[in-house]
Structure formats: structure tokens, C-alpha cells
Amino acid sequence: MLTEEDIRVGDDMFALEEDLFMAARECFNSKEFEKTAHILRECKSPQARFLCVYSKFLASEKEALDNWTYRKGSRTYDEKPVNESLPSLLATLSDVNNGESQDQRNEMDPFLLYLKGVIYGALRRRAEATECLILSVRAYPWNWSCWLQLGAMIEDPEEWTSLQEHLPDHPVTKMLALRILVEFNAPPETLDDSVNELTELFPHSLFIRSQKALLAYHHRDFDEAEAIFDSILEIDPYRIDSLDIFANILYVQQSRAKLSDLAQRFIRTDKDRPEVCGLIGNYYSLRCEHEKAVKYFRRAIQLDPTHLAAWTLMGHEYIEMKNPHAAIEAYRRAIDVNRKDYRAWYGLGKTYELLDMTQYALHYYQRAAALRWNEAIDCMKRAQLCADSTETSHFLFLAALYEKIGDIATAAMYHRQCVEISQKLGKHLGEYAKSCIFAARYEVDLAANRGGPNSSTEAPNLQRAKQLLEPFAGANVEETPAAEELSRRLRQIET
């Protein structure tokens, strides 16, 4: 960590470079990134080094995007812009100055660490990016951009749980936790304490209100989500953040007049924001003017190539225009931006289903189902229609989903179907033994609890349980002891 002496020395160094820094900042605000970097090329203070390298990074990103756009349609065209300057920028942050190793105040500066995390992330080096970003937020927890970048590195709730012990005990940590849990579609009841605690700390925060709206939106409570967004816009009529989500809600609600009014209002406010372009695209999509909708979604992407909603919605429009290959490209780009986007995975599954490429469709439906448990069953039932009749993986997936929501009877049914198919195909017992045990245990438990206070109205089928356990006689598989225990319980019930 930085000591007070390091901070004092850094402040003294910045005082000597302050005039250059102020001049460079004006160039930066004018988006003259290369000129900014040139002015600060000899500066040593952490503030100046950050602005210098960050300007080089933004300039290189713009150059990569321009080159990618220029090569579009040629043989050298890549699927997405490739910034070849990233390794050299990373080396600049870790280089030596005048033959001496980099000063500790630069090495541990939170903003330089944040910048290293951004570059590592762009290079898809997740482990190094996560380490740098955690060090940055521990040194300076109020950098929300750093928290957002850290959130983008996290791929599942388990990874977030494992990282929490390394993060500072700080209100912004709780804000990121809320954002991540909403993104992963956590049940509303699990977030109540978090929302209430943050509301006490920040009673007038529109961000927390918007997260409540997003949570309602993900759980398909569109009336509640719309009411929250209405209250947000009453407080701040010019707030553009999350406007694209509000537009999606109005689209689902078929609120054409309200969507039109919102579009006209924000065109006057700032027509060059990607969220506003997405809002207008939704309006034209609701009017079934799909070509115009694509035009505005594409405009949103030109303004911000990482605008997730625009890529996904453009894929939906291409489906409506009967252009599945363009839809696949749009959905893939959405997944490149955020692999946690349920709608893009589901869109790919639907598109490949339209193309009669059932194995691909099944794979993408499964990926979508893994991200949205509350919508996964419908998704997997759709996937089942695409699957090979001899394929058992979708039955196992559905069984796991029903078990997760507590519908053990339906889970047992899918396990029985898996057993039947596996036996018809002559598979080895070890491949379907777990399904045998689950289905047999269900029948045995049903019989054991018969007449109890929580007993089911369904009659147990002990003959079916015997048939499921018969293959384990003399078998040498991992589940054999469990089968023997169930057979013992079955004999006790019969006597």
C-alpha cells in the first residue's frame, strides 16, 4: 500500500507538472488523445502517467475501430476490431524509467492499476485483470468505473462469492453486489436486505431505484418495472442511464404512444447517445418498420460498439426480416460483449432452430437456460423439440431444473425417461445409474411417507422401483451401495 511519504512525494512531483497536466487535460476533453499523450510523454507523476497512457489506449482503440470499419467486407476483415497496440501499452505501464525500476507510487497507484486491469481485460487475461482491479478498488474504493470493469470479469455467482473476501468493506462493494446479483437474475427475496441497507445509506439514489426496476424486469414484472422507471423520470426527466431497458419494457407492454412520447423527448435532449438510438429503434420495431429499427440499432453500435442491447435487438430485427445469418452475427457480437446475456444465447438457439440445425440450437438453448433459472424450463422444453430422440442430456437438464424448484415428481419422470432411452440403446449402467437411483428413491420415499402429514396424493409404484434397482444386482458401479440401501428400505416397506 502507499505510505503517506509516497503520497507526499507524488503530490510534490505533480505540482511541478501541473501546468502541463492542465494543458493536456484540455486536449483530452477535446478528444485530441494523441496530442494529450505527446504533451505528457516526459511526465513522471502518477496522474500524468495515467492520463498519458489512457489517452494512448483510447487513440489505439479508435484506430482499431476505424481500420476494422475500413476493411469490412474484405478478406482481411475480422469479426471484431483488433487493437494490436495493447501489448505495448501494457509494457509502458510496467517499463523502466531512465534505467531505474518503476517507482512504488506508480506501481501501486489505484488509477494506473485500474488502467492495467482494463488492458488485461481487453487482452482476455482475466486472472491478471481481476487482480489489478481488486488492488485498485482496495486502494481507492470510490472509482465506480473500476468496479464496473471488475463486474464484467465475473462470469458466475460462485466466482463473485469467492472474490468478496478480497474486497473492501465499503458501500460501493454493496452496490456492485446488488448490480451483479440483479444481472445473474437472483430471486427478489434474496436481495431485499441488500436493497434496504443501500437505501438507508443513499435514500435518494436513482441507481438503487433503477436496480429495483431491472430486477422486476428480469422477473417479468413489467408493470412494477414501468412504475419504478416512471418515478425515476419524474425526479430526473433527463436521465438517460438504463433508458434502453425502459424502452424494452414499453415495447413488451405495447405502449406505442408512451414510447413515441419518450423518443421525441430524448431526441431533443441528446440524439447521439446509444440509449436514445436504442429507444428510437424500439419505437420503429413496435411499428413493424424493421429496416428503420435496424438503422437506429446500428447507429447505437457505431456510437458504442459495446452497447449490448443494440446488438441483441438488432438480431431480433434480422429474425423478423428473415435474415438468419445476419441475426447470428449480431447475437454473437452481443455474446462477445457480455457472455452473461440470456437473450443473445436464446436468440442463437432460436435462429439455429429456424435453420434446422438442431444440435446447435440445443447447445445454445442449454446455455440460455443455465443463465435464467426462472425461464429455463420453457427454454429447455423448446430445446427438447430440437434434440435427437436418442439424446438424454436434455432430460437430465430438465430433471435438474425441476429438482431445483422442488418439483421432485416431474424430475423423477424425466429421470425415468432417461433410463428408458439408455436401456433401449444398450448403454452401460454407469451412464444412467444416477437417474435409476433418483427415480427409485422417489418411489420409495413416496411409499415411506404414505399417510403422513405432508404425504402426496400420488400412489407409489413399488414395482417400478424394483425394476429400476434390478440392474444393480452384482453390478460394480459407484451407485451400487445406494441401490442396496434403497432395496433394503423397499423390503421393509413391503413387509
Side-chain angles (χ1 to χ4, degrees):
M1 297 292 292
L2 292 176
T3 65
E4 292 185 5
E5 177 65 18
D6 293 325
I7 295 171
R8 186 189 64 76
V9 173
D11 289 343
D12 292 344
M13 186 178 294
F14 177 69
L16 297 174
E17 301 171 349
E18 186 172 4
D19 289 343
L20 283 175
F21 183 84
M22 297 299 292
R25 193 170 70 174
E26 290 302 314
C27 294
F28 182 87
N29 292 338
S30 301
K31 297 187 177 181
E32 298 179 73
F33 301 126
E34 292 178 343
K35 186 174 181 179
T36 302
H38 179 75
I39 292 173
L40 299 174
R41 66 191 184 280
E42 301 294 338
C43 294
K44 305 297 183 185
S45 66
Q47 297 94 322
R49 281 177 58 81
F50 170 79
L51 189 59
C52 178
V53 181
Y54 188 50
S55 297
K56 289 180 181 179
F57 171 72
L58 293 178
S60 64
E61 286 284 285
K62 182 179 182 300
E63 182 181 4
L65 181 60
D66 290 344
N67 291 338
W68 178 76
T69 304
Y70 177 76
R71 293 198 304 268
K72 191 171 184 179
S74 68
R75 290 185 177 181
T76 58
Y77 178 68
D78 298 307
E79 288 188 358
K80 57 183 179 179
V82 177
N83 187 347
E84 297 178 352
S85 301
L86 293 177
S88 62
L89 289 173
L90 190 60
T92 301
L93 285 170
S94 305
D95 65 354
V96 293
N97 296 315
N98 298 324
E100 297 179 1
S101 61
Q102 185 173 322
D103 197 291
Q104 183 191 8
R105 59 183 171 275
N106 280 342
E107 194 67 44
M108 296 303 295
D109 181 78
F111 293 96
L112 291 174
L113 285 167
Y114 159 65
L115 187 51
K116 287 181 76 172
V118 170
I119 296 174
Y120 274 130
L123 290 169
R124 297 186 181 277
R125 294 167 61 175
R126 290 182 60 248
E128 294 98 324
T130 302
E131 180 182 3
C132 288
L133 294 169
I134 289 175
L135 289 172
S136 177
V137 296
R138 288 174 64 177
Y140 182 73
W142 293 106
N143 184 1
W144 183 238
S145 296
C146 189
W147 286 106
L148 290 178
Q149 187 69 25
L150 179 60
M153 295 293 106
I154 297 168
E155 295 190 340
D156 53 61
E158 291 74 20
E159 184 177 4
W160 166 245
T161 302
S162 67
L163 287 180
Q164 281 184 289
E165 61 181 274
H166 303 292
L167 299 175
D169 183 13
H170 195 272
V172 185
T173 309
K174 296 179 175 65
M175 294 177 75
L176 182 69
L178 176 61
R179 179 186 174 91
I180 288 174
L181 291 173
V182 168
E183 186 176 18
F184 283 118
N185 202 39
E189 56 272 14
T190 64
L191 297 177
D192 288 342
D193 291 342
S194 178
V195 170
N196 293 336
E197 184 180 0
L198 285 170
T199 303
E200 289 179 5
L201 290 170
F202 308 102
H204 306 295
S205 171
L206 296 183
F207 167 79
I208 297 172
R209 291 195 186 192
S210 69
Q211 293 304 302
K212 290 182 181 178
L214 285 172
L215 186 62
Y217 168 68
H218 288 322
H219 288 274
R220 308 187 72 81
D221 188 353
F222 299 119
D223 292 332
E224 174 69 13
E226 182 179 351
I228 296 173
F229 273 118
D230 283 337
S231 69
I232 290 173
L233 288 178
E234 284 180 9
I235 297 169
D236 183 359
Y238 302 101
R239 190 177 193 273
I240 294 178
D241 293 343
S242 302
L243 185 64
D244 48 347
I245 303 297
F246 189 25
N248 291 345
I249 293 167
L250 296 178
Y251 178 91
V252 173
Q253 299 282 71
Q254 297 288 298
S255 302
R256 182 182 296 186
K258 193 170 183 178
L259 196 56
S260 173
D261 177 68
L262 204 65
Q264 292 180 27
R265 187 203 312 180
F266 280 96
I267 283 177
R268 294 191 295 269
T269 302
D270 191 348
K271 63 182 177 61
D272 290 328
R273 283 283 295 270
E275 295 89 346
V276 175
C277 293
L279 167 63
I280 301 169
N282 265 310
Y283 169 70
Y284 280 117
S285 178
L286 190 57
R287 294 183 53 176
C288 297
E289 297 183 42
H290 302 298
E291 292 83 359
K292 286 186 177 179
V294 167
K295 173 185 173 182
Y296 279 97
F297 291 138
R298 192 171 293 281
R299 172 63 178 159
I301 291 164
Q302 289 173 343
L303 293 168
D304 180 7
T306 64
H307 191 63
L308 174 65
W311 283 114
T312 305
L313 293 173
M314 190 161 69
H316 296 347
E317 295 306 307
Y318 280 129
I319 290 292
E320 295 294 331
M321 295 165 64
K322 312 299 182 189
N323 188 345
H325 297 290
I328 288 171
E329 173 64 19
Y331 290 135
R332 289 189 183 279
R333 293 298 302 276
I335 290 169
D336 284 339
V337 173
N338 186 354
R339 298 184 66 82
K340 297 168 281 191
D341 183 38
Y342 158 83
R343 294 178 302 166
W345 290 109
Y346 185 85
L348 278 173
K350 186 176 179 181
T351 308
Y352 279 110
E353 183 183 356
L354 291 173
L355 294 172
D356 290 328
M357 301 175 71
T358 56
Q359 289 301 313
Y360 284 99
L362 177 63
H363 169 73
Y364 291 120
Y365 280 139
Q366 288 177 335
R367 293 298 298 264
L371 291 169
R372 283 282 182 92
W373 288 101
N374 62 333
E375 298 177 16
I377 291 174
D378 290 338
C379 188
M380 284 308 301
K381 284 183 176 178
R382 189 175 183 89
Q384 189 179 353
L385 300 175
C386 305
D388 188 336
S389 60
T390 62
E391 178 60 50
T392 59
S393 61
H394 55 283
F395 288 118
L396 293 173
F397 207 102
L398 278 166
L401 291 174
Y402 276 107
E403 183 183 3
K404 187 176 181 68
I405 64 173
D407 189 347
I408 306 301
T410 307
M413 180 195 71
Y414 281 111
H415 277 296
R416 289 197 301 270
Q417 291 183 9
C418 178
V419 172
E420 290 171 8
I421 292 173
S422 299
Q423 289 179 340
K424 286 179 181 178
L425 295 175
K427 290 185 178 180
H428 185 269
L429 176 60
E431 296 184 49
Y432 61 93
K434 285 184 172 61
S435 291
C436 288
I437 295 297
F438 189 98
R441 181 179 288 117
Y442 170 73
E443 301 295 346
V444 172
D445 289 344
L446 206 62
N449 297 327
R450 193 74 170 162
N454 298 319
S455 62
S456 172
T457 56
E458 181 183 355
N461 190 331
L462 297 182
Q463 185 60 34
R464 178 190 290 161
K466 286 181 181 180
Q467 292 173 352
L468 289 165
L469 296 172
E470 280 177 0
F472 290 94
N476 184 21
V477 294
E478 183 181 349
E479 292 78 10
T480 298
E484 292 173 350
E485 173 61 21
L486 286 172
S487 297
R488 185 186 61 79
R489 288 180 60 195
L490 190 57
R491 288 192 297 271
Q492 289 177 345
I493 291 170
E494 288 180 326
T495 57

